[in-house]
């Protein structure tokens, strides 16, 4: 298979972890006889520093002409700590999502058996957790009209949704639920928000096309509590942009590190793959950032294009790194392995046939028809 992949490292540790993901894709390319080409583009604060624009036209064109996008992270303290900034690094990512119509964000969450003691949640509570969050990604309060009064004392963020925007992501979530445990939880705030009431009505209507899937509607506050008390009760979670963002971040805590969870952002014609973590500027250039989430995002890229064996080979190599304790400092607290050495180990073990054959009982829930 030939794939043109746009590589957007972004800010902070983004370029470092994405470099390890590219390294692993190159190992797949070599060992499985594919042809992958990688083209780098600027985004975020790195792009603003050079061009004044968080997403230059060249980057947008590169992404539109690519088969897939591998994205790192954006954001720097310079902009995070400046409430008066008119343009922010995050604006580049939001614009990219909207321009490419990446309307569904898919975030699989499954506890790694070898790392279960890393979770602050009790072992008997966290064991067996296997869920996936379907988050609407191109509308809602993040994209609504924003305004600030002339005197700076009143701010407004508009949350807006249409039936079509809700329906299309709902169908994707229900299709995923059909291939999993046939349970879908809609997370909203329907007792307070009009947009949530629209979500509940539309999703309930869509559910009629999937009678084999059990639909539960749950308020975001209850869902966040249950996520900590009984995460195994969830299968597929469907949420709007903001609530999905919040619950996804909570899942990082469940598994014990913010550097382990990947995601896929899917549209009708485009797809982007990115780790679920921030730019962690304090670790920039120190070779301590965990590259696993970025590498598993690359695995999701392979799965998206139907390269199942290649996908499982990457997952198997990641599990081997855990078993051999070749991990970064956030996993064991003290380790001699850095970002690059972990990436090297995983890339070199991508064709371990024994691990591929034994991965079924330890897979991380990424290949179970998660991506539609």
């Amino acid at each position: 298979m030939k794939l043109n992949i746009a590589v957007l490292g972004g800010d902070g540790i983004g370029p470092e972890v994405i470099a390890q993901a590219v390294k692993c894709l190159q190992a797949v390319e070599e060992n499985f006889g594919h042809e992958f080409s990688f083209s780098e583009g600027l985004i975020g604060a790195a792009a603003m520093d050079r061009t004044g624009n968080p997403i230059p036209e060249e980057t947008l064109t590169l992404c539109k002409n690519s088969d897939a996008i591998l994205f790192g992270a954006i954001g720097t303290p310079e902009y995070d700590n400046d409430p008066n900034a008119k343009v922010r690094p995050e604006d580049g990512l939001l614009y990219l999502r909207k321009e490419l119509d990446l309307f569904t964000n898919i975030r699989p969450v499954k506890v790694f058996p070898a790392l279960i003691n890393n979770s602050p949640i009790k072992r008997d509570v966290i064991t067996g957790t296997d869920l996936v969050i379907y988050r609407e990604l191109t509308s809602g309060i993040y994209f609504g009209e924003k305004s600030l009064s002339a005197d700076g004392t009143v701010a407004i963020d508009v949350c807006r949704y249409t039936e079509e925007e809700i329906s299309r992501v709902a169908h994707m979530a229900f299709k995923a639920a059909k291939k999993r445990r046939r349970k879908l939880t809609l997370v909203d705030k329907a007792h307070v928000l009009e947009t949530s009431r629209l979500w509940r009505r539309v999703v309930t209507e869509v559910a009629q096309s999937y009678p084999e899937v059990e639909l539960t509607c749950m308020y975001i506050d209850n869902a966040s509590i249950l996520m900590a008390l009984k995460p195994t009760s969830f299968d597929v979670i469907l949420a709007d942009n903001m609530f999905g963002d919040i619950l996804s971040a909570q899942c990082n805590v469940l598994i014990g590190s913010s550097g382990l969870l990947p995601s896929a952002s899917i549209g009708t014609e485009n797809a982007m793959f990115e780790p679920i973590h921030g730019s962690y500027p304090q670790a920039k250039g120190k070779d301590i950032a965990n590259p696993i989430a970025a590498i598993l995002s690359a695995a999701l890229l392979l799965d998206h294009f139907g390269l199942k064996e290649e996908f499982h080979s990457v997952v198997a190599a990641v599990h081997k790194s855990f078993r051999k304790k070749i991990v970064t400092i956030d996993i064991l607290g003290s380790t001699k392995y850095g970002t690059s050495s972990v990436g090297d180990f995983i890339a070199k073990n991508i064709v371990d046939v024994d691990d591929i054959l034994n991965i079924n009982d330890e897979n991380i829930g990424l290949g179970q028809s998660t991506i539609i």
Side-chain angles (χ1 to χ4, degrees):
M1 178 175 286
K2 293 184 179 181
L3 292 176
N4 295 317
I5 302 171
V7 180
L8 311 183
D11 306 321
I13 63 170
E16 298 172 52
V17 296
I18 288 300
Q20 310 314 309
V22 170
K23 188 183 297 180
C24 291
L25 286 175
Q26 289 171 332
V28 169
E29 175 187 21
E30 179 180 351
N31 290 306
F32 289 87
H34 299 302
E35 186 176 332
F36 302 155
S37 64
F38 302 92
S39 301
E40 296 187 358
L42 292 171
I43 194 169
M48 294 176 69
D49 291 343
R50 295 195 192 182
T51 71
N53 187 342
I55 180 163
E57 190 62 36
E58 294 83 354
T59 299
L60 190 58
T61 299
L62 169 65
C63 292
K64 288 181 177 179
N65 292 333
S66 299
D67 297 305
I69 304 161
L70 200 55
F71 178 82
I74 53 173
T76 63
E78 173 189 356
Y79 295 99
D80 292 343
N81 299 327
D82 182 7
N84 298 315
K86 300 299 183 184
V87 180
R88 298 179 178 277
E90 292 78 9
D91 293 337
L93 178 58
L94 293 176
Y95 185 83
L96 181 62
R97 289 171 176 170
K98 192 72 172 181
E99 187 69 15
L100 298 184
D101 198 24
L102 302 173
F103 62 87
T104 298
N105 183 246
I106 305 167
R107 301 188 169 189
V109 182
K110 187 169 182 178
V111 175
F112 297 89
L115 304 181
I116 198 165
N117 290 330
N118 281 41
S119 174
I121 308 297
K122 292 181 178 180
R123 186 186 186 99
D124 61 339
V125 173
I126 195 69
T127 299
T129 297
D130 178 7
L131 61 93
V132 58
I133 298 175
Y134 273 68
R135 167 190 170 192
E136 198 288 322
L137 201 60
T138 57
S139 194
I141 199 167
Y142 290 1
F143 289 91
E145 180 182 341
K146 306 177 190 306
S147 63
L148 182 67
S149 64
D151 62 1
T153 61
V154 179
I156 299 173
D157 293 287
V158 175
C159 185
R160 176 185 180 276
Y161 270 107
T162 67
E163 288 186 1
E164 181 183 1
E165 289 169 337
I166 299 168
S167 177
R168 62 182 184 175
V169 66
H171 277 290
M172 292 189 71
F174 274 103
K175 289 175 183 177
K178 278 182 63 176
K179 298 178 180 179
R180 290 173 53 91
R181 300 195 306 276
R182 300 185 176 186
K183 294 172 56 180
L184 188 146
T185 303
L186 170 64
V187 173
D188 61 26
K189 196 77 172 173
H191 57 317
V192 176
L193 301 177
E194 195 64 48
T195 48
S196 283
R197 286 190 276 273
L198 179 62
W199 267 84
R200 190 166 289 204
R201 176 173 66 78
V202 173
V203 171
T204 300
E205 292 172 355
V206 171
Q208 296 176 12
S209 299
Y210 304 89
E212 61 274 79
V213 177
E214 176 189 352
L215 171 64
T216 301
C217 298
M218 187 178 298
Y219 297 147
I220 176 63
D221 34 3
N222 292 338
S224 62
I225 293 171
L226 191 60
M227 183 72 76
L229 296 179
K230 194 177 180 182
T232 55
S233 64
F234 293 107
D235 181 20
V236 175
I237 295 174
L238 174 61
D240 73 1
N241 209 337
M242 182 168 67
F243 295 155
D245 192 10
I246 294 169
L247 284 179
S248 297
Q250 187 174 355
C251 288
N252 284 321
V253 177
L254 288 181
I255 63 172
S257 172
S258 61
L260 296 173
L261 294 181
S263 77
S265 299
I266 308 297
T268 304
E269 298 181 358
N270 300 285
M272 181 166 70
F273 305 87
E274 59 181 298
I276 303 178
H277 58 60
S279 60
Y280 192 13
Q282 301 88 341
K284 180 181 178 180
K286 296 181 180 180
D287 196 39
I288 61 173
N290 190 342
I292 298 299
I295 292 172
L296 290 177
S297 295
L300 283 181
L301 185 156
L302 296 169
D303 188 46
H304 177 74
F305 289 100
L307 303 177
K308 300 296 184 181
E309 183 179 357
E310 292 86 337
F311 161 82
H312 284 295
S313 70
V314 175
V315 174
V318 167
H319 277 278
K320 186 171 184 177
S321 74
F322 293 154
R323 292 197 300 274
K324 298 291 186 181
K325 296 185 178 181
I326 299 177
V327 294
T328 48
I329 193 170
D330 58 302
I331 301 299
L332 295 179
S334 177
T335 175
K336 62 182 179 181
Y337 299 105
T339 307
S340 297
S341 55
V342 171
D344 288 340
F345 177 86
I346 293 172
K348 290 176 181 177
N349 285 275
I350 272 178
V351 291
D352 192 320
V353 177
D354 290 336
D355 277 353
I356 295 173
L357 294 176
N358 293 327
I359 198 63
N360 290 334
D361 63 345
E362 267 197 341
N363 73 72
I364 55 175
L366 303 181
Q368 301 173 14
S369 301
T370 297
I371 299 180
I372 307 300

